[in-house]
Amino acid sequence: MFASEDRAHAHASHRPDLTRVLRDGVTVHTDEELRAKHGIVVAFSERTGGVSRAPYADLNLAAHVGDDPVAVDANRHRLLASLGMALRADRLVTAEQVHGERVGVIDEAAAGSGAHVSAAGAQPVPGTDALITTTSGIPLLMCFADCVPIVLVALTPVSGIAVVHAGWRGALASLPGSAVAELANHAGCEPSDVIAYVGPHIGACCYEVDEALVSHFGNKFDTIGAVRGRLDLAAAVRESLARAGVPSSSIAELGECTREHTDRYFSYRAAQQTGRHGALAAITEGE
Ligand SMILES: [Zn+2]
């Protein structure tokens, strides 16, 4: 009796945190306590530890950038294996990311969409920049090189996860906030119960854009400063999450700039022909 009450209480909240972990040659930023207590995997990958060759070296996870499909599949398998999810490789879901505003809800029937690049199988989810599921054992993966990766987690009454790809278009359209609302709807919780992780992306330090774009953001977001020609995507993402109801104490930010760390991350601004690192989430409880 007490045990189940404790468990119910433990599911009510979690303070998100990211730790850099190297396992089986693959480096990820992950929340180990979330996995231990709630059975939910959150991981932002680095570019080392894979098999791809230049300009995609090493751990390129994206199918569309011109890399060898066999290498991409091997890299995805390495990432999943390092997270103890090699047996879920056939259920991996990826998306055709288009800098749009669509949120895709993934159920059992969609498991494995875009899982493999070099072998026949279901295609990636078309035209979608946010994936949501409440189904256990379906890893969701999105790919990045400078854009902002966001993972959202709902813990109760049912577990739910979302992976969001926010470049400037997605950030300006408040896609992160839309994903919070949709996830809360599917998990049956309040948006204020959703916790969020923001992975590596290009920082305002390096993200030079034209001033018209900065002023578009300034008109929409209170926290976008008037720094000439530079855009702080993370500020827009934070404000989008906050407006959707996510408390600032429920957001863990990695705070690393991809453009400045090309030894560990892919950066489109640094090299347009390059690979993609990943943001991955999975529900493993009940397995
Ligand atoms: Zn920078």
Side-chain angles (χ1 to χ4, degrees):
M1 192 62 169
F2 284 120
S4 66
E5 282 177 6
D6 283 351
R7 184 171 166 79
H9 184 259
H11 273 246
S13 67
H14 175 80
R15 177 67 66 97
D17 189 34
L18 288 169
T19 306
R20 188 167 183 247
V21 176
L22 171 64
R23 195 174 292 132
D24 299 336
V26 174
T27 302
V28 297
H29 299 262
T30 187
D31 188 339
E32 298 199 301
E33 190 179 315
L34 181 77
R35 182 170 196 172
K37 289 189 175 170
H38 303 284
I40 294 176
V41 175
V42 171
F44 300 103
S45 64
E46 296 197 1
R47 69 182 289 178
T48 51
V51 301
S52 292
R53 299 177 181 217
Y56 310 106
D58 300 335
L59 195 81
N60 167 49
L61 300 170
H64 68 283
V65 293
D67 194 2
D68 175 3
V70 175
V72 177
D73 280 340
N75 291 337
R76 289 177 176 182
H77 198 272
R78 283 187 180 211
L79 173 61
L80 287 167
S82 80
L83 297 168
M85 292 192 294
L87 294 175
R88 292 285 171 252
D90 290 341
R91 290 167 62 81
L92 181 73
V93 170
T94 63
E96 179 206 11
Q97 301 167 207
V98 293
H99 293 280
E101 300 170 33
R102 201 171 92 77
V103 179
V105 180
I106 303 304
D107 58 12
E108 185 62 33
S113 298
H116 301 293
V117 185
S118 60
Q123 292 298 302
V125 181
T128 302
D129 289 273
L131 296 171
I132 287 179
T133 194
T134 55
T135 303
S136 195
I138 303 180
L140 306 178
L141 174 69
M142 287 225 175
C143 298
F144 301 83
D146 290 341
C147 289
V148 188
I150 303 139
V151 174
L152 306 173
V153 175
L155 298 171
T156 183
V158 298
S159 296
I161 51 172
V163 181
V164 184
H165 166 245
W168 72 258
R169 288 183 182 83
L172 189 61
S174 294
L175 178 63
S178 303
V180 168
E182 192 80 4
L183 176 61
N185 185 32
H186 283 270
C189 67
E190 296 297 324
S192 56
D193 296 328
V194 171
I195 60 177
Y197 300 83
V198 179
H201 62 88
I202 193 165
C205 43
C206 295
Y207 195 33
E208 295 179 13
V209 299
D210 63 52
E211 292 193 32
L213 186 59
V214 178
S215 68
H216 275 312
F217 273 82
N219 290 338
K220 179 147 186 183
F221 297 101
D222 300 331
T223 52
I224 294 290
V227 181
R228 288 171 69 93
R230 290 177 193 271
L231 184 57
D232 186 353
L233 284 175
V237 167
R238 274 194 297 273
E239 190 168 334
S240 176
L241 294 171
R243 287 185 184 180
V246 180
S248 60
S249 61
S250 295
I251 303 173
E253 264 190 83
L254 186 57
E256 289 189 318
C257 174
T258 46
R259 177 67 184 82
E260 287 176 49
H261 296 284
T262 51
D263 55 329
R264 294 198 286 126
Y265 302 110
F266 296 105
S267 171
Y268 184 80
R269 285 283 176 126
Q272 299 200 343
Q273 191 178 12
T274 190
R276 301 288 185 271
H277 46 262
L280 183 144
I283 303 168
T284 65
E285 65 181 2
E287 295 223 304

